[in-house]
Amino acid sequence: MPVEPALVVSRAQVIARGVRCHCPNCGKRGLLATWFHLNKACAGCGMDLAKSHGFYSGTTSIGYVAAILFVLIPDFVLVSAKVIGVTAGILLGMAGSFAFIVLIYPAMLCWMVMAYHVALPGELPANGGGRGEE
Ligand SMILES: [Zn+2]
């Protein structure tokens, strides 16, 4: 089958791969070097991930918002409803936010990579991106 010159990898494919933390370009699990760091390049296809400084700052913002939504607000509700005491609520809020961000950190990194390539699918090497400077 001939390959379409426009978009070899569609936005839908980028999302389907991204939510599972797979590389948006090749679909392999090559994005993460460690729990907290992306590889410099994808382990599967070698796509450059070093341009991804913005992914880390984006991750921090998502992390704060996510911790407020999913940890602190439920925590405040529990304290307000006197389900748990104030001291327990404070401890739960601090430990919970920290644990939550650590837990979802790799997913946030992958999702920042995904969001970037959903916005700019032409940047993927499979779609003809990354061939020299503009
Ligand atoms: Zn790849």
Side-chain angles (χ1 to χ4, degrees):
M1 258 177 64
V3 177
E4 292 293 322
L7 283 183
V8 178
V9 180
S10 70
R11 284 189 169 86
Q13 282 176 296
V14 170
I15 293 170
R17 290 169 176 178
V19 293
R20 290 175 299 156
C21 219
H22 292 197
C23 172
N25 190 55
C26 67
K28 296 201 172 70
R29 299 181 63 96
L31 293 183
L32 292 167
T34 67
W35 193 263
F36 294 106
H37 290 281
L38 292 167
N39 273 322
K40 286 197 170 53
C42 169
C45 64
M47 180 178 75
D48 184 20
L49 298 169
K51 64 184 172 186
S52 57
H53 300 297
F55 297 154
Y56 288 99
S57 50
T59 303
T60 310
S61 331
I62 297 176
Y64 288 139
V65 174
I68 290 168
L69 286 179
F70 295 109
V71 179
L72 294 180
I73 291 176
D75 187 36
F76 293 156
V77 170
L78 289 177
V79 173
S80 308
K82 300 195 189 312
V83 176
I84 57 174
V86 172
T87 310
I90 292 169
L91 291 175
L92 182 68
M94 290 192 302
S97 302
F98 181 75
F100 183 73
I101 288 178
V102 167
L103 200 67
I104 67 169
Y105 204 89
M108 289 192 295
L109 282 174
C110 293
W111 294 349
M112 284 306 296
V113 175
M114 172 180 75
Y116 177 85
H117 291 103
V118 167
L120 300 167
E123 292 281 299
L124 289 173
N127 289 338
R131 286 181 193 153
E133 305 295 306
E134 294 290 319

